[in-house]
Every structure is written in structure tokens, then in C-alpha cells.
Amino acid sequence: MRLISRWQNSAGERVRIALNLKGIAYRYVPVSSLEPGEYRRLNPQGLLPALDIGGGHVVPQSSAILSYVEETYPDPSLLPEDPALRAEARGFAAHIASEMHALTVQRVRHFLRDDLGAGEAEVKRWLVHWLSRGFTALEETLAQRQSPSPFCFGDRPGWADLHLIPQMSNARRLGHDLTPYPLLLAVEQQCVTLEAFRTARPEAQPDFPETDGQAETASY
């Protein structure tokens, strides 16, 4: 399998963590290494990441990729055994992917600034509003768990955690204060020590830029 992504793409980081947790071998392909127009041909959506599973099949969208990986390589599962907890984990992750990440990505920020004429203060207000609402909901979700656990929904990392950690890193890069979310921070501390998360980090990817200046302008 080929995972086409780039170093600073939190959706791609989710997939890398999932593949690492399952011990699935894959080839990381920086989108910058492809010929002009090739990625759009492979994935008409044009968004990252995409998983080339062979046989002419290219799966776009991290949610679809994660579902494919879970269904095709069920052991170890990324989801809790209990059906109710499985649903909660999926809901937790969906809130990140659909309600937070989708509203704060670079193309949305650029549209606000370049097409709608929003100033930097207005774009910052947009980010703070949606990130604050999102993280507050996630923190309250963990606080309401019937059985607290070191990871979001159990004693090992999975579906919810691999969505959470890249989003927290993304929020820090955008200057959002995470100190009001102690339960989320506690989960993060458990995850960041694990190899599956460390090797999925942006700085561990072969296309990570050598100069810090590039990191601030890249899409996430």
C-alpha cells in the first residue's frame, strides 16, 4: 500500500498512527514527489491523504481509509469491544474530523482572508471560536465516561486517540491554549511516548523541511 500525504497533514497523521498501531507495512509517498497533476488524477478530490491499495483502487478521506484498514486488518482493533463504547469512540473522532478540523484547515482560513477579506484578528477569532467549542465538548465527553481510562476509551490507544493527538498539535501550532483541557492533556501524555505516535509525527516524515520557516506556511 502507498499512503500519499505530506508531513504537515493531520488527517494523514491519523492514518499513519492507525497503520503503526496495527503493524501494517506501507510506503509513505510525499505528494510533492509526484509529477504535476498526478495526484489530482489519482484522487479527483485533491485532498490529503489518499491510500493506494492497488488494483486501481485509491481511497480518499482519512475516515474512509481508517474504515478500510479496520475492516481489512481487524486485529488488533482500533475500537473498543463494547458496542456502546465503539459508538462513543466513533462519535468522539467524528467531532474532530467533521466539526473541528474541517473548519480550521488552511484552505478555509485562506478563503476567509483572501476571498472574504477577513483580517488576521477575525481569522484568529474564527479559529478560537471553533477550537474552543470543539475541545470543550471533547473534554466534557471524557469527564462523563463511566469508567475513566488512561486513553480516551480504554486501556490502549485507538480510534479516538489517533484523531485527538494530531488535532491537539494542530491547535498548538495555531496558538490555541490547551491548558483548560486537563483530561485531553492526560491522554496526550500517554500517547506521545508510544512509538506508533512518535513515528507518525510530522518531523519524522522524509519530506519534513529542514528550515523552520517552511513549517508556518504549510497546510495542515
Side-chain angles (χ1 to χ4, degrees):
M1 294 190 295
R2 297 193 308 159
L3 177 63
I4 306 170
S5 188
R6 72 188 305 273
W7 66 277
Q8 198 176 41
N9 172 245
S10 60
E13 187 176 346
R14 294 173 203 153
V15 175
R16 294 195 295 269
I17 295 169
L19 294 171
N20 291 343
L21 286 172
K22 286 181 173 288
I24 300 172
Y26 68 96
R27 182 159 66 93
Y28 175 80
V29 179
V31 68
S32 59
S33 69
L34 302 180
E35 294 295 327
E38 183 179 358
Y39 185 66
R40 181 71 68 168
R41 179 183 62 80
L42 292 170
N43 176 17
Q45 293 184 20
L47 303 174
L48 295 171
L51 187 68
D52 183 353
I53 60 177
H57 298 289
V58 176
V59 184
Q61 295 288 344
S62 63
S63 58
I65 295 171
L66 292 170
S67 293
Y68 169 81
V69 169
E70 181 68 11
E71 293 166 2
T72 310
Y73 302 88
D75 188 31
S77 177
L78 297 173
L79 291 158
E81 292 184 7
D82 180 78
L85 286 181
R86 280 180 172 245
E88 289 184 38
R90 289 185 186 275
F92 188 97
H95 190 72
I96 293 170
S98 301
E99 306 297 335
M100 297 177 67
H101 177 257
L103 292 172
T104 58
V105 291
Q106 188 183 65
R107 65 177 184 155
V108 170
R109 304 197 308 271
H110 282 187
F111 183 77
L112 289 171
R113 185 188 65 200
D114 301 336
D115 292 74
L116 300 183
E120 291 300 324
E122 292 170 302
V123 174
K124 178 68 175 179
R125 182 183 175 190
W126 170 277
L127 291 172
V128 169
H129 175 77
W130 293 115
L131 289 173
S132 297
R133 286 178 65 95
F135 282 121
T136 297
L138 297 177
E139 179 77 8
E140 291 176 357
T141 298
L142 295 191
Q144 293 176 5
R145 291 173 297 180
Q146 293 183 2
S147 300
S149 55
F151 298 98
C152 288
F153 294 98
D155 294 329
R156 56 187 176 87
W159 197 276
D161 310 274
L162 63 86
H163 282 79
L164 175 63
I165 302 311
Q167 186 64 32
M168 294 180 73
S169 297
N170 189 19
R172 284 195 184 91
R173 185 181 63 83
L174 294 172
H176 187 64
D177 181 20
L178 296 178
T179 54
Y181 318 111
L183 295 177
L184 301 181
L185 289 170
V187 170
E188 183 185 41
Q189 286 303 306
Q190 293 288 334
C191 290
V192 295
T193 63
L194 302 177
E195 184 178 4
F197 287 81
R198 292 200 310 269
T199 57
R201 291 289 302 140
E203 59 269 22
Q205 308 316 307
D207 56 333
F208 182 76
E210 295 182 0
T211 57
D212 293 337
Q214 295 183 50
E216 294 302 321
T217 58
S219 172
Y220 204 80

PDB file of all heavy atoms in Angstrom, residues 116-148:
ATOM      1  N   LEU A 116     -12.981  36.603   1.408  1.00  0.00           N
ATOM      2  CA  LEU A 116     -13.977  37.354   2.163  1.00  0.00           C
ATOM      3  C   LEU A 116     -13.409  38.602   2.823  1.00  0.00           C
ATOM      4  O   LEU A 116     -14.151  39.380   3.420  1.00  0.00           O
ATOM      5  CB  LEU A 116     -14.625  36.458   3.217  1.00  0.00           C
ATOM      6  CG  LEU A 116     -15.361  35.218   2.688  1.00  0.00           C
ATOM      7  CD1 LEU A 116     -16.022  34.465   3.828  1.00  0.00           C
ATOM      8  CD2 LEU A 116     -16.387  35.600   1.635  1.00  0.00           C
ATOM      9  N   GLY A 117     -12.098  38.780   2.732  1.00  0.00           N
ATOM     10  CA  GLY A 117     -11.482  39.994   3.252  1.00  0.00           C
ATOM     11  C   GLY A 117     -11.376  40.072   4.757  1.00  0.00           C
ATOM     12  O   GLY A 117     -11.247  41.167   5.316  1.00  0.00           O
ATOM     13  N   ALA A 118     -11.424  38.944   5.436  1.00  0.00           N
ATOM     14  CA  ALA A 118     -11.280  38.954   6.897  1.00  0.00           C
ATOM     15  C   ALA A 118      -9.848  39.292   7.281  1.00  0.00           C
ATOM     16  O   ALA A 118      -8.899  38.803   6.666  1.00  0.00           O
ATOM     17  CB  ALA A 118     -11.663  37.590   7.467  1.00  0.00           C
ATOM     18  N   GLY A 119      -9.694  40.108   8.275  1.00  0.00           N
ATOM     19  CA  GLY A 119      -8.368  40.436   8.771  1.00  0.00           C
ATOM     20  C   GLY A 119      -7.827  39.333   9.658  1.00  0.00           C
ATOM     21  O   GLY A 119      -8.539  38.381  10.004  1.00  0.00           O
ATOM     22  N   GLU A 120      -6.568  39.467  10.051  1.00  0.00           N
ATOM     23  CA  GLU A 120      -5.941  38.440  10.882  1.00  0.00           C
ATOM     24  C   GLU A 120      -6.681  38.268  12.210  1.00  0.00           C
ATOM     25  O   GLU A 120      -6.831  37.151  12.712  1.00  0.00           O
ATOM     26  CB  GLU A 120      -4.475  38.802  11.139  1.00  0.00           C
ATOM     27  CG  GLU A 120      -3.584  38.710   9.909  1.00  0.00           C
ATOM     28  CD  GLU A 120      -3.567  37.307   9.312  1.00  0.00           C
ATOM     29  OE1 GLU A 120      -3.616  36.329  10.077  1.00  0.00           O
ATOM     30  OE2 GLU A 120      -3.506  37.187   8.079  1.00  0.00           O
ATOM     31  N   ALA A 121      -7.164  39.376  12.778  1.00  0.00           N
ATOM     32  CA  ALA A 121      -7.891  39.286  14.048  1.00  0.00           C
ATOM     33  C   ALA A 121      -9.191  38.511  13.878  1.00  0.00           C
ATOM     34  O   ALA A 121      -9.586  37.730  14.771  1.00  0.00           O
ATOM     35  CB  ALA A 121      -8.184  40.688  14.586  1.00  0.00           C
ATOM     36  N   GLU A 122      -9.853  38.695  12.746  1.00  0.00           N
ATOM     37  CA  GLU A 122     -11.105  37.983  12.507  1.00  0.00           C
ATOM     38  C   GLU A 122     -10.869  36.500  12.261  1.00  0.00           C
ATOM     39  O   GLU A 122     -11.638  35.649  12.723  1.00  0.00           O
ATOM     40  CB  GLU A 122     -11.828  38.615  11.321  1.00  0.00           C
ATOM     41  CG  GLU A 122     -12.343  40.017  11.605  1.00  0.00           C
ATOM     42  CD  GLU A 122     -12.837  40.701  10.356  1.00  0.00           C
ATOM     43  OE1 GLU A 122     -12.038  40.841   9.397  1.00  0.00           O
ATOM     44  OE2 GLU A 122     -14.010  41.097  10.315  1.00  0.00           O
ATOM     45  N   VAL A 123      -9.802  36.195  11.528  1.00  0.00           N
ATOM     46  CA  VAL A 123      -9.471  34.789  11.302  1.00  0.00           C
ATOM     47  C   VAL A 123      -9.107  34.123  12.626  1.00  0.00           C
ATOM     48  O   VAL A 123      -9.521  32.989  12.896  1.00  0.00           O
ATOM     49  CB  VAL A 123      -8.315  34.652  10.294  1.00  0.00           C
ATOM     50  CG1 VAL A 123      -7.863  33.195  10.179  1.00  0.00           C
ATOM     51  CG2 VAL A 123      -8.740  35.174   8.931  1.00  0.00           C
ATOM     52  N   LYS A 124      -8.356  34.836  13.463  1.00  0.00           N
ATOM     53  CA  LYS A 124      -7.999  34.308  14.777  1.00  0.00           C
ATOM     54  C   LYS A 124      -9.248  34.062  15.619  1.00  0.00           C
ATOM     55  O   LYS A 124      -9.363  33.042  16.322  1.00  0.00           O
ATOM     56  CB  LYS A 124      -7.067  35.281  15.500  1.00  0.00           C
ATOM     57  CG  LYS A 124      -6.668  34.859  16.901  1.00  0.00           C
ATOM     58  CD  LYS A 124      -5.781  33.629  16.899  1.00  0.00           C
ATOM     59  CE  LYS A 124      -5.288  33.298  18.279  1.00  0.00           C
ATOM     60  NZ  LYS A 124      -4.436  32.079  18.302  1.00  0.00           N
ATOM     61  N   ARG A 125     -10.206  34.994  15.558  1.00  0.00           N
ATOM     62  CA  ARG A 125     -11.458  34.830  16.304  1.00  0.00           C
ATOM     63  C   ARG A 125     -12.205  33.586  15.821  1.00  0.00           C
ATOM     64  O   ARG A 125     -12.775  32.842  16.617  1.00  0.00           O
ATOM     65  CB  ARG A 125     -12.326  36.077  16.133  1.00  0.00           C
ATOM     66  CG  ARG A 125     -13.628  36.036  16.906  1.00  0.00           C
ATOM     67  CD  ARG A 125     -14.451  37.281  16.624  1.00  0.00           C
ATOM     68  NE  ARG A 125     -15.775  37.197  17.265  1.00  0.00           N
ATOM     69  CZ  ARG A 125     -16.765  38.050  17.036  1.00  0.00           C
ATOM     70  NH1 ARG A 125     -16.581  39.050  16.209  1.00  0.00           N
ATOM     71  NH2 ARG A 125     -17.918  37.896  17.643  1.00  0.00           N
ATOM     72  N   TRP A 126     -12.221  33.357  14.512  1.00  0.00           N
ATOM     73  CA  TRP A 126     -12.844  32.158  13.924  1.00  0.00           C
ATOM     74  C   TRP A 126     -12.199  30.897  14.498  1.00  0.00           C
ATOM     75  O   TRP A 126     -12.892  29.984  14.943  1.00  0.00           O
ATOM     76  CB  TRP A 126     -12.688  32.226  12.412  1.00  0.00           C
ATOM     77  CG  TRP A 126     -13.049  30.987  11.651  1.00  0.00           C
ATOM     78  CD1 TRP A 126     -12.255  29.888  11.434  1.00  0.00           C
ATOM     79  CD2 TRP A 126     -14.288  30.697  10.990  1.00  0.00           C
ATOM     80  NE1 TRP A 126     -12.906  28.943  10.687  1.00  0.00           N
ATOM     81  CE2 TRP A 126     -14.164  29.415  10.395  1.00  0.00           C
ATOM     82  CE3 TRP A 126     -15.484  31.399  10.831  1.00  0.00           C
ATOM     83  CZ2 TRP A 126     -15.190  28.821   9.668  1.00  0.00           C
ATOM     84  CZ3 TRP A 126     -16.508  30.817  10.100  1.00  0.00           C
ATOM     85  CH2 TRP A 126     -16.365  29.549   9.530  1.00  0.00           C
ATOM     86  N   LEU A 127     -10.870  30.870  14.499  1.00  0.00           N
ATOM     87  CA  LEU A 127     -10.153  29.705  14.998  1.00  0.00           C
ATOM     88  C   LEU A 127     -10.437  29.461  16.473  1.00  0.00           C
ATOM     89  O   LEU A 127     -10.738  28.330  16.884  1.00  0.00           O
ATOM     90  CB  LEU A 127      -8.655  29.882  14.779  1.00  0.00           C
ATOM     91  CG  LEU A 127      -8.142  29.839  13.345  1.00  0.00           C
ATOM     92  CD1 LEU A 127      -6.671  30.223  13.301  1.00  0.00           C
ATOM     93  CD2 LEU A 127      -8.349  28.466  12.738  1.00  0.00           C
ATOM     94  N   VAL A 128     -10.326  30.493  17.278  1.00  0.00           N
ATOM     95  CA  VAL A 128     -10.540  30.354  18.719  1.00  0.00           C
ATOM     96  C   VAL A 128     -11.959  29.873  19.008  1.00  0.00           C
ATOM     97  O   VAL A 128     -12.175  29.012  19.874  1.00  0.00           O
ATOM     98  CB  VAL A 128     -10.254  31.686  19.439  1.00  0.00           C
ATOM     99  CG1 VAL A 128     -10.731  31.628  20.890  1.00  0.00           C
ATOM    100  CG2 VAL A 128      -8.764  32.009  19.381  1.00  0.00           C
ATOM    101  N   HIS A 129     -12.922  30.414  18.280  1.00  0.00           N
ATOM    102  CA  HIS A 129     -14.317  30.033  18.496  1.00  0.00           C
ATOM    103  C   HIS A 129     -14.523  28.542  18.276  1.00  0.00           C
ATOM    104  O   HIS A 129     -15.044  27.835  19.154  1.00  0.00           O
ATOM    105  CB  HIS A 129     -15.226  30.823  17.557  1.00  0.00           C
ATOM    106  CG  HIS A 129     -16.664  30.414  17.625  1.00  0.00           C
ATOM    107  ND1 HIS A 129     -17.503  30.785  18.650  1.00  0.00           N
ATOM    108  CD2 HIS A 129     -17.412  29.637  16.783  1.00  0.00           C
ATOM    109  CE1 HIS A 129     -18.706  30.266  18.454  1.00  0.00           C
ATOM    110  NE2 HIS A 129     -18.680  29.560  17.328  1.00  0.00           N
ATOM    111  N   TRP A 130     -14.097  28.031  17.118  1.00  0.00           N
ATOM    112  CA  TRP A 130     -14.377  26.643  16.774  1.00  0.00           C
ATOM    113  C   TRP A 130     -13.483  25.670  17.531  1.00  0.00           C
ATOM    114  O   TRP A 130     -13.934  24.591  17.939  1.00  0.00           O
ATOM    115  CB  TRP A 130     -14.265  26.435  15.271  1.00  0.00           C
ATOM    116  CG  TRP A 130     -15.329  27.165  14.527  1.00  0.00           C
ATOM    117  CD1 TRP A 130     -15.167  28.199  13.643  1.00  0.00           C
ATOM    118  CD2 TRP A 130     -16.748  26.949  14.612  1.00  0.00           C
ATOM    119  NE1 TRP A 130     -16.379  28.638  13.189  1.00  0.00           N
ATOM    120  CE2 TRP A 130     -17.365  27.892  13.762  1.00  0.00           C
ATOM    121  CE3 TRP A 130     -17.539  26.058  15.332  1.00  0.00           C
ATOM    122  CZ2 TRP A 130     -18.750  27.956  13.607  1.00  0.00           C
ATOM    123  CZ3 TRP A 130     -18.921  26.117  15.185  1.00  0.00           C
ATOM    124  CH2 TRP A 130     -19.517  27.062  14.328  1.00  0.00           C
ATOM    125  N   LEU A 131     -12.236  26.033  17.757  1.00  0.00           N
ATOM    126  CA  LEU A 131     -11.362  25.153  18.531  1.00  0.00           C
ATOM    127  C   LEU A 131     -11.820  25.080  19.988  1.00  0.00           C
ATOM    128  O   LEU A 131     -11.828  24.003  20.593  1.00  0.00           O
ATOM    129  CB  LEU A 131      -9.918  25.627  18.446  1.00  0.00           C
ATOM    130  CG  LEU A 131      -9.222  25.423  17.094  1.00  0.00           C
ATOM    131  CD1 LEU A 131      -7.857  26.095  17.083  1.00  0.00           C
ATOM    132  CD2 LEU A 131      -9.082  23.940  16.759  1.00  0.00           C
ATOM    133  N   SER A 132     -12.212  26.209  20.555  1.00  0.00           N
ATOM    134  CA  SER A 132     -12.672  26.224  21.947  1.00  0.00           C
ATOM    135  C   SER A 132     -13.932  25.388  22.119  1.00  0.00           C
ATOM    136  O   SER A 132     -14.045  24.584  23.058  1.00  0.00           O
ATOM    137  CB  SER A 132     -12.934  27.656  22.417  1.00  0.00           C
ATOM    138  OG  SER A 132     -11.756  28.425  22.413  1.00  0.00           O
ATOM    139  N   ARG A 133     -14.895  25.579  21.228  1.00  0.00           N
ATOM    140  CA  ARG A 133     -16.126  24.794  21.298  1.00  0.00           C
ATOM    141  C   ARG A 133     -15.830  23.298  21.163  1.00  0.00           C
ATOM    142  O   ARG A 133     -16.384  22.467  21.879  1.00  0.00           O
ATOM    143  CB  ARG A 133     -17.098  25.243  20.203  1.00  0.00           C
ATOM    144  CG  ARG A 133     -17.772  26.577  20.472  1.00  0.00           C
ATOM    145  CD  ARG A 133     -18.668  26.972  19.318  1.00  0.00           C
ATOM    146  NE  ARG A 133     -19.786  26.040  19.175  1.00  0.00           N
ATOM    147  CZ  ARG A 133     -20.993  26.224  19.692  1.00  0.00           C
ATOM    148  NH1 ARG A 133     -21.228  27.312  20.420  1.00  0.00           N
ATOM    149  NH2 ARG A 133     -21.962  25.352  19.499  1.00  0.00           N
ATOM    150  N   GLY A 134     -14.948  22.976  20.230  1.00  0.00           N
ATOM    151  CA  GLY A 134     -14.645  21.576  19.982  1.00  0.00           C
ATOM    152  C   GLY A 134     -13.941  20.911  21.141  1.00  0.00           C
ATOM    153  O   GLY A 134     -14.349  19.831  21.605  1.00  0.00           O
ATOM    154  N   PHE A 135     -12.865  21.532  21.625  1.00  0.00           N
ATOM    155  CA  PHE A 135     -12.104  20.933  22.718  1.00  0.00           C
ATOM    156  C   PHE A 135     -12.913  20.888  24.014  1.00  0.00           C
ATOM    157  O   PHE A 135     -12.770  19.963  24.811  1.00  0.00           O
ATOM    158  CB  PHE A 135     -10.792  21.676  22.938  1.00  0.00           C
ATOM    159  CG  PHE A 135      -9.730  21.327  21.936  1.00  0.00           C
ATOM    160  CD1 PHE A 135      -9.174  22.301  21.126  1.00  0.00           C
ATOM    161  CD2 PHE A 135      -9.273  20.018  21.799  1.00  0.00           C
ATOM    162  CE1 PHE A 135      -8.191  21.987  20.200  1.00  0.00           C
ATOM    163  CE2 PHE A 135      -8.304  19.690  20.883  1.00  0.00           C
ATOM    164  CZ  PHE A 135      -7.753  20.673  20.077  1.00  0.00           C
ATOM    165  N   THR A 136     -13.755  21.887  24.244  1.00  0.00           N
ATOM    166  CA  THR A 136     -14.603  21.866  25.432  1.00  0.00           C
ATOM    167  C   THR A 136     -15.550  20.673  25.393  1.00  0.00           C
ATOM    168  O   THR A 136     -15.743  19.975  26.403  1.00  0.00           O
ATOM    169  CB  THR A 136     -15.406  23.172  25.540  1.00  0.00           C
ATOM    170  OG1 THR A 136     -14.496  24.271  25.699  1.00  0.00           O
ATOM    171  CG2 THR A 136     -16.363  23.133  26.727  1.00  0.00           C
ATOM    172  N   ALA A 137     -16.131  20.406  24.234  1.00  0.00           N
ATOM    173  CA  ALA A 137     -17.027  19.258  24.093  1.00  0.00           C
ATOM    174  C   ALA A 137     -16.283  17.944  24.307  1.00  0.00           C
ATOM    175  O   ALA A 137     -16.796  17.023  24.963  1.00  0.00           O
ATOM    176  CB  ALA A 137     -17.677  19.278  22.709  1.00  0.00           C
ATOM    177  N   LEU A 138     -15.065  17.856  23.774  1.00  0.00           N
ATOM    178  CA  LEU A 138     -14.277  16.629  23.945  1.00  0.00           C
ATOM    179  C   LEU A 138     -13.885  16.420  25.406  1.00  0.00           C
ATOM    180  O   LEU A 138     -13.928  15.296  25.920  1.00  0.00           O
ATOM    181  CB  LEU A 138     -13.031  16.692  23.066  1.00  0.00           C
ATOM    182  CG  LEU A 138     -13.254  16.760  21.555  1.00  0.00           C
ATOM    183  CD1 LEU A 138     -11.921  16.893  20.836  1.00  0.00           C
ATOM    184  CD2 LEU A 138     -14.021  15.545  21.053  1.00  0.00           C
ATOM    185  N   GLU A 139     -13.508  17.492  26.080  1.00  0.00           N
ATOM    186  CA  GLU A 139     -13.138  17.410  27.494  1.00  0.00           C
ATOM    187  C   GLU A 139     -14.336  16.941  28.318  1.00  0.00           C
ATOM    188  O   GLU A 139     -14.206  16.067  29.193  1.00  0.00           O
ATOM    189  CB  GLU A 139     -12.649  18.770  27.993  1.00  0.00           C
ATOM    190  CG  GLU A 139     -12.244  18.824  29.452  1.00  0.00           C
ATOM    191  CD  GLU A 139     -10.887  18.201  29.738  1.00  0.00           C
ATOM    192  OE1 GLU A 139     -10.173  17.846  28.777  1.00  0.00           O
ATOM    193  OE2 GLU A 139     -10.533  18.079  30.930  1.00  0.00           O
ATOM    194  N   GLU A 140     -15.506  17.494  28.044  1.00  0.00           N
ATOM    195  CA  GLU A 140     -16.702  17.102  28.787  1.00  0.00           C
ATOM    196  C   GLU A 140     -17.081  15.654  28.487  1.00  0.00           C
ATOM    197  O   GLU A 140     -17.568  14.936  29.370  1.00  0.00           O
ATOM    198  CB  GLU A 140     -17.844  18.049  28.437  1.00  0.00           C
ATOM    199  CG  GLU A 140     -17.640  19.466  28.965  1.00  0.00           C
ATOM    200  CD  GLU A 140     -18.734  20.424  28.532  1.00  0.00           C
ATOM    201  OE1 GLU A 140     -19.627  19.994  27.762  1.00  0.00           O
ATOM    202  OE2 GLU A 140     -18.705  21.589  28.951  1.00  0.00           O
ATOM    203  N   THR A 141     -16.843  15.216  27.275  1.00  0.00           N
ATOM    204  CA  THR A 141     -17.126  13.825  26.923  1.00  0.00           C
ATOM    205  C   THR A 141     -16.285  12.874  27.768  1.00  0.00           C
ATOM    206  O   THR A 141     -16.796  11.878  28.309  1.00  0.00           O
ATOM    207  CB  THR A 141     -16.848  13.573  25.432  1.00  0.00           C
ATOM    208  OG1 THR A 141     -17.719  14.400  24.642  1.00  0.00           O
ATOM    209  CG2 THR A 141     -17.076  12.108  25.070  1.00  0.00           C
ATOM    210  N   LEU A 142     -15.000  13.172  27.905  1.00  0.00           N
ATOM    211  CA  LEU A 142     -14.144  12.313  28.729  1.00  0.00           C
ATOM    212  C   LEU A 142     -14.533  12.394  30.201  1.00  0.00           C
ATOM    213  O   LEU A 142     -14.465  11.392  30.920  1.00  0.00           O
ATOM    214  CB  LEU A 142     -12.675  12.702  28.548  1.00  0.00           C
ATOM    215  CG  LEU A 142     -12.061  12.484  27.158  1.00  0.00           C
ATOM    216  CD1 LEU A 142     -10.547  12.660  27.218  1.00  0.00           C
ATOM    217  CD2 LEU A 142     -12.395  11.104  26.601  1.00  0.00           C
ATOM    218  N   ALA A 143     -14.945  13.561  30.637  1.00  0.00           N
ATOM    219  CA  ALA A 143     -15.348  13.707  32.044  1.00  0.00           C
ATOM    220  C   ALA A 143     -16.589  12.873  32.357  1.00  0.00           C
ATOM    221  O   ALA A 143     -16.777  12.456  33.509  1.00  0.00           O
ATOM    222  CB  ALA A 143     -15.615  15.172  32.348  1.00  0.00           C
ATOM    223  N   GLN A 144     -17.415  12.599  31.369  1.00  0.00           N
ATOM    224  CA  GLN A 144     -18.657  11.865  31.585  1.00  0.00           C
ATOM    225  C   GLN A 144     -18.501  10.348  31.416  1.00  0.00           C
ATOM    226  O   GLN A 144     -19.485   9.622  31.574  1.00  0.00           O
ATOM    227  CB  GLN A 144     -19.730  12.370  30.619  1.00  0.00           C
ATOM    228  CG  GLN A 144     -20.170  13.798  30.893  1.00  0.00           C
ATOM    229  CD  GLN A 144     -21.154  14.317  29.861  1.00  0.00           C
ATOM    230  OE1 GLN A 144     -21.592  13.576  28.982  1.00  0.00           O
ATOM    231  NE2 GLN A 144     -21.477  15.591  29.948  1.00  0.00           N
ATOM    232  N   ARG A 145     -17.301   9.882  31.133  1.00  0.00           N
ATOM    233  CA  ARG A 145     -17.106   8.444  30.977  1.00  0.00           C
ATOM    234  C   ARG A 145     -17.484   7.705  32.262  1.00  0.00           C
ATOM    235  O   ARG A 145     -17.170   8.150  33.362  1.00  0.00           O
ATOM    236  CB  ARG A 145     -15.647   8.132  30.633  1.00  0.00           C
ATOM    237  CG  ARG A 145     -15.204   8.589  29.257  1.00  0.00           C
ATOM    238  CD  ARG A 145     -13.714   8.382  29.078  1.00  0.00           C
ATOM    239  NE  ARG A 145     -12.954   9.197  30.027  1.00  0.00           N
ATOM    240  CZ  ARG A 145     -11.625   9.224  30.102  1.00  0.00           C
ATOM    241  NH1 ARG A 145     -10.903   8.482  29.280  1.00  0.00           N
ATOM    242  NH2 ARG A 145     -11.019   9.996  30.994  1.00  0.00           N
ATOM    243  N   GLN A 146     -18.130   6.574  32.115  1.00  0.00           N
ATOM    244  CA  GLN A 146     -18.496   5.771  33.277  1.00  0.00           C
ATOM    245  C   GLN A 146     -17.274   5.174  33.951  1.00  0.00           C
ATOM    246  O   GLN A 146     -17.243   5.026  35.180  1.00  0.00           O
ATOM    247  CB  GLN A 146     -19.469   4.666  32.855  1.00  0.00           C
ATOM    248  CG  GLN A 146     -20.813   5.172  32.396  1.00  0.00           C
ATOM    249  CD  GLN A 146     -21.775   4.042  32.068  1.00  0.00           C
ATOM    250  OE1 GLN A 146     -21.455   2.870  32.219  1.00  0.00           O
ATOM    251  NE2 GLN A 146     -22.970   4.392  31.625  1.00  0.00           N
ATOM    252  N   SER A 147     -16.266   4.838  33.155  1.00  0.00           N
ATOM    253  CA  SER A 147     -15.032   4.253  33.689  1.00  0.00           C
ATOM    254  C   SER A 147     -13.841   5.005  33.123  1.00  0.00           C
ATOM    255  O   SER A 147     -13.458   4.788  31.961  1.00  0.00           O
ATOM    256  CB  SER A 147     -14.933   2.764  33.327  1.00  0.00           C
ATOM    257  OG  SER A 147     -16.022   2.043  33.860  1.00  0.00           O
ATOM    258  N   PRO A 148     -13.246   5.920  33.888  1.00  0.00           N
ATOM    259  CA  PRO A 148     -12.062   6.637  33.406  1.00  0.00           C
ATOM    260  C   PRO A 148     -10.953   5.665  33.012  1.00  0.00           C
ATOM    261  O   PRO A 148     -10.784   4.606  33.607  1.00  0.00           O
ATOM    262  CB  PRO A 148     -11.659   7.489  34.610  1.00  0.00           C
ATOM    263  CG  PRO A 148     -12.920   7.649  35.391  1.00  0.00           C
ATOM    264  CD  PRO A 148     -13.659   6.354  35.221  1.00  0.00           C
TER     265      PRO A 148
END
